[in-house]
Amino acid sequence: MAARSLFSQQGSGILKGTVTDASTKETLPGATIQLVKDMSKGVATDIDGKYYFELDTGYQQVICGYIGLGSDTFKVHVTENTITEKNFKLKPIARLLETVVVSSGKFEQKLEELTVSMEVLRPNLINNKNTTSIETALEQVPGLSIIDNDPQIRGGSGFTFGVGSRVAIVVDGIPLLSGDAGRPEWSYIPVENIEQIEIIKGASSVLYGSSALNGVINVRSAYPRAKPKTVINYSVGDYSLPESPADNWYNKSIPGFTNLNFLHSRIIKSNLDFTIGGNFNVDQGYIGPAPQGAYVPPDIKAALKIADTIPVFTNPDMLKKRARVNFNLRYRSKKVPGLSYGINGNAMYNKTNMVFAWLDDSIGLYRAYPGAVFLQTQRLYNIDPFIKYTTGNGISHSLVTRLFHSDNQISNNLSNNGTMLYGEYQLQRRFKSIDLTFTGGIVGNQSTSHASLYASSGTPNNKISNASGYVQLDKKFWRVLNLSGGFRYEYFKMNTQQSVVAPIFRAGASLQVMKGTYVRTSYGQGFRYPTITERYIATKAGIFGVFPNPDLKPETSNSFEIGLKQGFKIGKFAGYLDIAGFYQKYHNTIEYLFGVWDPDVSVIGFKFLNTGDSRVRGIDVSLAGSTIDPNKKFGVTTLIGYTYIEPVSLTPDSVYARDKSLGGFGQNLSYKSASMDTTGNILKYRFKHLVKGDIEFKIYKFGVGFSYRGYSKMNNIDRAFQDVELLTSDSPYFNKLKAVNFWQTHTWIQVFDARISYNLNTKQKISLVCNNLLNTAYSLRPMKIEAPRTTSIQYVLTF
């Protein structure tokens, strides 16, 4: 019999069918169908969404799932030598505990079974908030703050202008931090093509390397479905006048912004995935140019080490313009099953500005200080060839590579350019019979930079090289206990400095104690090697300077966590509550300190220093839930979180440097001598309490959403801010620089956002989005005001 040849063993039958998305009717390649009683047995759908699953005879229960959609369980009677057909239609996730993620172990896992804390940000929230740069959406994630481009997870870092990030930023698993500064380029991330964003909280250096000291933000791109898709997203808006003082801001004009995103994705000839997207943005910004500085006679200028010329910029100079285009190509071989390869790319032109300090803390909040404005023109591009091969016996090989080039033309002789070369080979094997996953890989990374501002190394040409290897094992016992352990070995070398090697370990466990209840614990080590910028930057502008520290040492950490994830369902509303207690200890903590480092170069400035040992401990609570009406007429989606941290210096009396204040005589610097408030030895630039919340209601064709962000007072900042106030107040040659009073008087920051949308039809939506609804004047770091109220109209066309 011809049909009998389909069966490889006696006493078996075949279950076959097609898996589709219930909402879009599209077939789903890569969906999984598994045997419930033995999850190691399963198959995946082909490029047409079809599957063939050979099963033992008798009653069998199978489960079908797909990333971003819910799962479906089905009981079937399998008859020997018989083909039974079952088609699955998967609905959008109503129970968030069904979410599938890949960041924790670099393979697909259910969110509730992870041994670490993770938040998942879905594209709906990103799109509904009219996000033009991804960091504005990340601000809603519990436990995560973005302070002047610098990501903080659970208070694990202070304020560093984004340099030397302790949080790894990766797109589809490949790092996206600048090679010389370790700085995230938020506007470079394609917001128009995101499947979901996975945020790991806690040390993740074993799988993601040096920059993952405190966690990982992994942006996962969406691949095409069976049906071609085109999205055009246009918005226009403006900044509201500050409540006070409006007369000192843009000459009473109202600056605006406009933004256009586009995306097109399709599958060509059934096996070539093609995606192209882009972003075009024009933004006047909300910070006006600095006024003309006070006249300083040449002899006084030389004595005070003020820059010879301080450029004066105008409103047109502050105009920001951005154009970015990206593409993804993936070919899935028909001749060799399991083989796929392709190339991804992204390129951006970005004319922007950087403002380091406001004019003052009263009438000059929304104006820049003379000499503290830098105009920047960026040209960035990356090319990412890749290949992946998955065999039928659970073995997969992948090779991902990246060439990332940056060219930054910056005023005041701060221009730099650099190239990063990255490659990672990974071998993964899933031993289905014992439910064990092995993941191992080797990584090579080299960054070169050319910039005169790094010439303190002895040359403007600098290089940092990194090689590493890692292994991780994930084992599941009795379908309720997950164990995970990993090891990484890092090698770093910068220029001709002595190389550094570091072994790193991690371990974790997750136990399902009852239906919907999961307990986890994890331990992880972290290691971060200093960047070229942290060691060698040397520059000045006006009264400000930045000073090098070639002796800066790597910082390390030990992180421990215990957590509980509880699923729930109340009527049609379902989700999870997650509670975690964490403990993080750091050695050779690197901080960016404001002070008088060399009055022969500049009056005041910044420097990266190892400040000793520190500890951050606390609790992190988050609640995520949603409800979907069967008729899609009503729905609610929420993401709420509260984080409490206790960040303290463990070596408050230890002297880590000596400055040149007090007329050049200088003083020894320790935590206590360099801090404004030493109560409880609280670290600088942290918020002890952080509250986040977002809720959206869907009522027929309408959508209404609200967001909230609450920050407690930043308990401690550098004492040098007080010193520079006295210096500029007593001199007729300086604009008076003020920061301390604003910091002291603003004890709790509350920011509200609101949005409303209307679906004109199945293809068109129009929205009104208002951020900082109450037009609150607030600052997340000294001398930098955040945006006033913005109001925008958004139009989205999908076809």
Side-chain angles (χ1 to χ4, degrees):
M1 294 177 60
R4 185 176 297 276
S5 64
L6 295 172
F7 306 96
S8 62
Q9 58 185 18
Q10 293 184 347
S12 67
I14 284 182
L15 181 68
K16 77 168 189 175
T18 303
V19 182
T20 58
D21 185 324
S23 58
T24 65
K25 314 301 182 186
E26 298 177 6
T27 57
L28 298 174
T32 58
I33 299 90
Q34 295 171 288
L35 189 63
V36 171
K37 68 180 181 181
D38 185 358
M39 299 291 280
S40 66
K41 296 181 179 179
V43 296
T45 56
D46 61 19
I47 59 177
D48 298 315
K50 299 182 182 298
Y51 73 93
Y52 294 85
F53 193 5
E54 187 170 358
L55 296 167
D56 294 336
T57 57
Y59 284 100
Q60 305 289 352
Q61 192 172 22
V62 297
I63 183 169
C64 177
Y66 187 81
I67 295 177
L69 297 174
S71 59
D72 187 11
T73 303
F74 173 71
K75 192 172 185 178
V76 60
H77 185 268
V78 179
T79 305
E80 185 175 5
N81 298 334
T82 301
I83 298 176
T84 304
E85 185 169 351
K86 168 61 179 177
N87 297 323
F88 292 94
K89 296 181 179 180
L90 301 183
K91 298 179 181 179
I93 294 174
R95 293 176 54 205
L96 295 185
L97 283 180
E98 295 173 349
T99 301
V100 177
V101 297
V102 300
S103 298
S104 176
K106 293 198 172 184
F107 66 95
E108 292 183 7
Q109 295 174 281
K110 291 184 178 180
L111 180 62
E112 66 271 22
E113 296 180 352
L114 301 183
T115 63
V116 296
S117 288
M118 178 184 288
E119 301 288 349
V120 177
L121 195 63
R122 301 196 176 279
N124 283 345
L125 179 60
I126 299 170
N127 298 330
N128 293 343
K129 289 179 70 68
N130 192 25
T131 302
T132 60
S133 186
I134 195 63
E135 77 274 18
T136 57
L138 290 172
E139 268 287 4
Q140 286 304 136
V141 175
L144 171 64
S145 298
I146 310 291
I147 300 180
D148 199 19
N149 287 323
D150 190 12
Q152 288 187 1
I153 291 181
R154 293 172 171 173
S157 61
F159 142 68
T160 64
F161 287 113
V163 174
S165 174
R166 292 181 182 175
V167 177
I169 314 297
V170 297
V171 176
D172 296 323
I174 305 179
L176 199 62
L177 295 172
S178 60
D180 60 344
R183 179 184 174 93
E185 299 290 352
W186 298 113
S187 59
Y188 191 60
I189 297 175
V191 296
E192 63 276 3
N193 185 35
I194 292 178
E195 181 76 36
Q196 64 187 28
I197 302 178
E198 300 168 5
I199 300 97
I200 301 176
K201 302 176 183 179
S204 304
S205 292
V206 166
L207 288 182
Y208 291 94
S210 172
S211 58
L213 195 71
N214 291 330
V216 178
I217 298 173
N218 186 14
V219 181
R220 295 177 52 195
S221 302
Y223 276 102
R225 302 283 179 87
K227 183 179 179 182
K229 178 181 180 181
T230 300
V231 180
I232 298 174
N233 184 336
Y234 176 73
S235 63
V236 61
D238 61 27
Y239 298 91
S240 297
L241 288 170
E243 291 186 0
S244 176
D247 59 344
N248 196 33
W249 190 53
Y250 279 100
N251 297 319
K252 297 185 179 180
S253 66
I254 300 177
F257 53 88
T258 185
N259 187 80
L260 173 67
N261 291 343
F262 75 90
L263 171 72
H264 177 74
S265 65
R266 63 169 54 236
I267 298 176
I268 302 173
K269 294 185 177 180
S270 76
N271 64 332
L272 177 62
D273 299 331
F274 172 69
T275 301
I276 186 169
N279 168 254
F280 303 93
N281 181 274
V282 178
D283 186 354
Q284 181 60 65
Y286 62 92
I287 297 180
Q292 177 71 51
Y295 172 73
V296 184
D299 57 333
I300 301 296
K301 184 179 291 187
L304 295 176
K305 305 300 177 184
I306 302 174
D308 290 337
T309 58
I310 298 179
V312 177
F313 301 119
T314 63
N315 284 345
D317 292 327
M318 303 293 283
L319 183 68
K320 303 176 184 179
K321 298 178 181 179
R322 181 173 73 235
R324 176 179 46 72
V325 177
N326 63 90
F327 69 89
N328 300 74
L329 277 173
R330 181 178 66 176
Y331 182 80
R332 289 172 280 114
S333 176
K334 291 183 176 180
K335 295 182 179 180
V336 183
L339 176 65
S340 63
Y341 51 89
I343 186 169
N344 302 327
N346 195 7
M348 181 177 75
Y349 168 87
N350 187 27
K351 176 184 174 293
T352 185
N353 60 72
M354 298 178 289
V355 179
F356 288 165
W358 59 35
L359 183 59
D360 59 54
D361 64 356
S362 55
I363 65 171
L365 286 173
Y366 296 91
R367 297 290 298 275
Y369 192 86
V373 179
F374 303 91
L375 302 186
Q376 179 181 27
T377 300
Q378 291 182 299
R379 293 175 177 86
L380 311 176
Y381 70 83
N382 69 272
I383 300 294
D384 304 343
F386 66 90
I387 184 170
K388 183 174 183 178
Y389 177 58
T390 302
T391 67
N393 58 354
I395 299 176
S396 66
H397 305 265
S398 70
L399 176 65
V400 295
T401 62
R402 165 165 290 170
L403 185 155
F404 178 37
H405 181 76
S406 61
D407 182 8
N408 301 293
Q409 299 300 313
I410 308 175
S411 59
N412 204 56
N413 198 34
L414 298 181
S415 298
N416 61 85
N417 63 75
T419 301
M420 182 185 77
L421 300 175
Y422 177 89
E424 178 178 358
Y425 166 75
Q426 179 181 289
L427 168 67
Q428 191 168 91
R429 179 162 188 181
R430 306 192 72 169
F431 298 90
K432 294 183 178 181
S433 60
I434 57 174
D435 214 347
L436 172 70
T437 300
F438 166 89
T439 304
I442 54 174
V443 180
N445 190 350
Q446 178 175 283
S447 297
T448 57
S449 175
H450 176 79
S452 60
L453 75 161
Y454 301 144
S456 68
S457 68
T459 172
N461 300 306
N462 291 272
K463 180 174 71 174
I464 182 171
S465 302
N466 168 232
S468 58
Y470 62 87
V471 172
Q472 178 160 303
L473 295 174
D474 293 88
K475 175 75 173 81
K476 193 167 187 177
F477 294 92
W478 313 295
R479 295 177 55 196
V480 295
L481 175 64
N482 294 276
L483 299 181
S484 178
F487 168 78
R488 187 184 189 100
Y489 196 76
E490 291 269 14
Y491 166 90
F492 278 94
K493 187 176 181 62
M494 184 181 295
N495 296 335
T496 59
Q497 288 201 4
Q498 184 176 354
S499 61
V500 173
V501 295
I504 310 166
F505 301 89
R506 72 164 299 270
S510 171
L511 176 65
Q512 182 179 359
V513 295
M514 60 182 67
K515 184 177 181 180
T517 304
Y518 298 81
V519 178
R520 67 179 182 276
T521 184
S522 64
Y523 166 79
Q525 295 177 330
F527 174 85
R528 192 179 76 81
Y529 191 77
T531 62
I532 294 172
T533 302
E534 289 170 291
R535 277 184 169 166
Y536 297 127
I537 185 171
T539 188
K540 61 180 294 185
I543 67 170
F544 301 99
V546 185
F547 298 87
N549 183 3
D551 299 321
L552 197 65
K553 299 175 183 178
E555 57 183 340
T556 59
S557 72
N558 289 275
S559 177
F560 175 78
E561 174 187 286
I562 185 168
L564 168 71
K565 190 179 291 289
Q566 177 63 59
F568 65 84
K569 184 177 181 182
I570 305 173
K572 296 178 181 179
F573 185 77
Y576 66 79
L577 172 68
D578 191 279
I579 303 173
F582 56 89
Y583 178 98
Q584 303 163 345
K585 186 176 180 180
Y586 302 90
H587 178 61
N588 284 333
T589 307
I590 297 178
E591 295 191 72
Y592 194 41
L593 299 183
F594 192 50
V596 181
W597 301 111
D598 191 347
D600 290 335
V601 176
S602 70
V603 174
I604 200 84
F606 295 89
K607 189 175 185 179
F608 290 94
L609 290 168
N610 295 109
T611 60
D613 296 345
S614 60
R615 182 195 68 210
V616 181
R617 62 186 180 187
I619 60 170
D620 194 7
V621 181
S622 62
L623 184 148
S626 66
T627 179
I628 298 178
D629 187 279
N631 299 316
K632 298 185 178 181
K633 294 181 179 179
F634 177 80
V636 179
T637 302
T638 61
L639 179 61
I640 301 170
Y642 167 74
T643 305
Y644 168 79
I645 64 170
E646 187 183 81
V648 300
S649 171
L650 299 178
T651 53
D653 297 306
S654 176
V655 175
Y656 51 75
R658 185 177 180 85
D659 69 5
K660 293 187 178 181
S661 60
L662 306 175
F665 178 76
Q667 62 176 332
N668 289 332
L669 293 180
S670 64
Y671 164 84
K672 287 188 175 179
S673 66
S675 297
M676 280 288 295
D677 187 346
T678 60
T679 305
N681 296 331
I682 298 298
L683 295 173
K684 303 166 193 169
Y685 310 116
R686 269 79 164 182
F687 301 103
K688 293 185 71 173
H689 302 272
L690 187 63
V691 182
K692 303 285 186 71
D694 186 89
I695 183 168
E696 175 149 343
F697 300 93
K698 179 181 179 181
I699 308 171
Y700 294 91
K701 293 185 176 183
F702 287 93
V704 180
F706 302 93
S707 297
Y708 172 81
R709 296 181 299 282
Y711 308 83
S712 62
K713 179 186 176 182
M714 185 176 284
N715 292 74
N716 193 12
I717 63 174
D718 282 305
R719 183 183 293 274
F721 284 107
Q722 188 177 67
D723 299 336
V724 76
E725 282 196 7
L726 295 174
L727 175 66
T728 57
S729 297
D730 294 339
S731 173
Y733 305 114
F734 299 130
N735 293 77
K736 294 179 174 59
L737 188 59
K738 299 287 186 180
V740 176
N741 182 66
F742 193 94
W743 165 69
Q744 290 175 332
T745 56
H746 287 70
T747 57
W748 184 266
I749 300 170
Q750 299 189 83
V751 185
F752 297 87
D753 304 332
R755 58 191 183 270
I756 185 170
S757 64
Y758 179 73
N759 291 306
L760 300 173
N761 50 46
T762 57
K763 297 182 178 180
Q764 302 180 81
K765 184 176 76 169
I766 189 168
S767 305
L768 179 66
V769 182
C770 185
N771 294 325
N772 193 1
L773 183 65
L774 303 182
N775 205 17
T776 302
Y778 70 102
S779 172
L780 296 181
R781 64 96 166 157
M783 300 193 302
K784 173 67 184 297
I785 196 69
E786 298 298 318
R789 178 173 52 231
T790 62
T791 306
S792 60
I793 297 176
Q794 178 190 36
Y795 171 76
V796 180
L797 173 64
T798 305
F799 59 93

